[in-house]
Amino acid sequence: MDKRDVIVCRCSDLTLADLEALFNTGYKTFEELKRIARIGMGPCQGTTCGPIVRSAIHRRFKEPIERIPLHRARPFNIGIKLGAIKEAADDES
Amino acid sequence: MGTEEAVVIGAGPAGLFAAYELLLAGADVTLIDRAAQAGGQLVKQTHKFFGSKEHYASIRGIDIRHRLEHALEKNGDGRLRTLYSTTVAGFYADGALACVKAERYYRLHPEVVVVATGASERTVAFAGNDLPGVYAAGAVQTLMNEQGIRPGNRALMVGSGNIGLIVAYQLMQAGIQVERVVEAADEIGGYQVHASKLRRLGVPIETKTTIKRAFGTNQVEGAEIWRLDAKGEGIAGSEERLTVDTVCLAVGLSPLVELLSQLSVDTRFIPEFGGVAPVLDETYMTSRPGVFACGDVANVEEASTAMVEGRLAGIHAAGYLNRQIPRRKEKIQALETSLRTLRSGPASEHVRKGLRKVGEHA
């Protein structure tokens, strides 16, 4: 299997080969991977890539799967224009 | 005091029933869904349900949705507000919900919230998994059953749970040849009755087998499957090439806990439910007082159990609001008995196991 043909994160176009290269550099948690590669920060917000990354970490570092945390979810889970938030704030005040 | 009495997030089977019970108890209810219509997954379910009459057996999912909407209107008495095509984009520590509809943004401040956001489809990593023609089973159902579009001509189904089996059958009904159903586990995951229907149509189901890769230039032109050894690793030399233009993935669901995670409620990884699920007390309340969860977001299961859980969560949420419900205790007991009956079969063993794990933590 060519790991360059296996997409892990389709939002940021990251392959299994990219992910393993990051493992080799020392990144081994979802939070770290998110900061360095934007994984989990696209439209899927980790719902598609999360389980795949979790099992990749499990296979690579032999960590029990139930102990591998994903990232901390924060608002917003979809893109919102700043103008729309400003408009709402003006209405509320 | 919140500006809204009760907000239900998600108008699928669980959310619709939670809203129904809250309305019956006299509460004002705001029902939110990001889709343009109520029903959730029921909208694409053209097959008839199993079980007893009480749980809508022999009625199609799409028709259950119409009945539920009618019941809500009848009992709503002007107290139901529906916000469809609306996404809850944030759940803040102060209890505020950030809502978005088209370009408009606003916040709600509810007294109680029932989270019934459902689950998302899992996917699986294999070479060529980004080629056009690789679909999740839910997407195939949306194309065929909602929009009347054939996804392709020849398909490979990955996964033999009930969703995989039912969608494979629906593909055949739509005139799409299902070349094979492959299942990584030792056994077929779904009900025997669904598997038998496929076998009668001549569709082979192979266990301990999975997809190795999909290939094609601009879209799927074929797929390679291979056998798995006892450790779940692919066996070199066992590859078989199939000529297909569609690869359909039905490899399980994960609870959509995003909003609950934003609120930092207690959660736990439950392999039986395909991911992280919220820890609930016996009233379906999360670790955050006034925030309830039911349906697939709490434990990935079936529409029938989601509907009963929705009713229970709705009754308990109404209780939290101090709404009086006639014969409350009997009603709760009857619903809990009904849930136990639904979960008593051998196919529900993993659900019982998952629920025990949630309970251990609570």
Side-chain angles (χ1 to χ4, degrees), chain B residues 240-273:
Chain B
E240 183 185 347
R241 267 185 177 225
L242 302 173
T243 304
V244 293
D245 56 12
T246 306
V247 174
C248 186
L249 306 176
V251 291
L253 304 168
S254 294
L256 257 178
V257 290
E258 275 175 310
L259 290 173
L260 290 169
S261 306
Q262 289 175 10
L263 203 60
S264 296
V265 304
D266 294 343
T267 56
R268 196 171 174 205
F269 184 82
I270 309 285
E272 287 79 7
F273 299 154

Side-chain angles (χ1 to χ4, degrees), chain B residues 35-353:
Chain B
Q37 58 193 347
Q41 299 306 302
L42 291 173
V43 172
K44 55 181 85 156
Q45 291 172 353
T46 51
H47 59 278
K48 290 178 179 172
F49 277 46
F50 286 158
S52 62
K53 251 218 175 87
E54 180 195 350
H55 303 120
Y56 297 92
S58 82
I59 303 174
R60 297 178 197 279
I62 35 172
D63 298 328
I64 297 176
R65 174 204 143 201
H66 292 305
R67 288 189 186 200
L68 288 177
E69 273 196 298
H70 184 71
L72 282 185
E73 269 165 42
K74 222 177 83 188
N75 294 286
D77 199 20
R79 287 178 288 105
L80 173 69
R81 178 166 66 139
T82 54
L83 303 175
Y84 297 149
S85 305
T86 301
T87 303
V88 179
F91 202 162
Y92 288 101
D94 66 355
L97 295 172
C99 302
V100 181
K101 181 174 186 177
E103 295 279 286
R104 213 166 80 75
Y105 170 90
Y106 56 94
R107 286 189 299 177
L108 301 176
H109 301 272
E111 284 177 59
V112 303
V113 178
V114 179
V115 177
T117 44
S120 63
E121 292 190 275
R122 293 166 68 88
T123 175
V124 58
F126 56 88
N129 60 348
D130 64 330
L131 279 172
V134 178
Y135 295 96
V140 164
Q141 279 192 307
T142 301
L143 280 175
M144 291 195 306
N145 304 353
E146 273 188 79
Q147 298 167 354
I149 295 167
R150 280 167 67 121
N153 295 307
R154 296 158 79 92
L156 164 67
M157 175 63 71
V158 181
S160 75
N162 280 327
I163 295 176
L165 298 175
I166 289 170
V167 174
Y169 188 75
Q170 291 176 346
L171 282 161
M172 294 291 285
Q173 284 181 313
I176 298 148
Q177 182 62 37
V178 178
E179 294 292 327
R180 205 73 56 91
V181 176
V182 291
E183 167 61 55
D186 303 351
E187 288 174 6
I188 292 170
Y191 295 146
Q192 193 59 45
V193 46
H194 293 310
S196 304
K197 274 167 86 177
L198 275 177
R199 287 217 178 93
R200 280 199 292 276
L201 292 176
V203 177
I205 305 175
E206 281 178 32
T207 55
K208 287 187 169 182
T209 305
T210 193
I211 183 165
K212 185 184 182 192
R213 66 184 191 109
F215 55 87
T217 314
N218 295 314
Q219 62 183 70
V220 175
E221 289 163 20
E224 238 171 56
I225 56 173
W226 62 348
R227 310 256 319 143
L228 299 172
D229 65 17
K231 283 185 186 160
E233 302 289 336
I235 301 170
S238 71
E239 292 89 348
E240 183 185 347
R241 267 185 177 225
L242 302 173
T243 304
V244 293
D245 56 12
T246 306
V247 174
C248 186
L249 306 176
V251 291
L253 304 168
S254 294
L256 257 178
V257 290
E258 275 175 310
L259 290 173
L260 290 169
S261 306
Q262 289 175 10
L263 203 60
S264 296
V265 304
D266 294 343
T267 56
R268 196 171 174 205
F269 184 82
I270 309 285
E272 287 79 7
F273 299 154
V276 165
V279 174
L280 304 176
D281 69 9
E282 66 287 352
T283 72
Y284 291 83
M285 192 157 78
T286 65
S287 59
R288 164 88 181 214
V291 176
F292 297 78
C294 55
D296 275 359
V297 71
N299 44 287
V300 168
E301 221 179 326
E302 309 234 345
S304 50
T305 46
M307 292 190 264
V308 184
E309 279 198 347
R311 293 188 66 178
L312 281 164
I315 292 170
H316 289 300
Y320 185 87
L321 291 164
N322 289 321
R323 290 278 176 188
Q324 301 302 316
I325 298 170
R327 298 174 56 79
R328 183 168 185 275
K329 224 174 154 182
E330 291 88 335
K331 208 168 160 178
I332 290 173
Q333 270 172 3
L335 288 167
E336 285 175 346
T337 306
S338 162
L339 263 187
R340 272 194 298 275
T341 312
L342 282 169
R343 288 173 179 152
S344 59
S348 298
E349 174 51 33
H350 71 287
V351 175
R352 295 195 296 271
K353 206 171 152 194

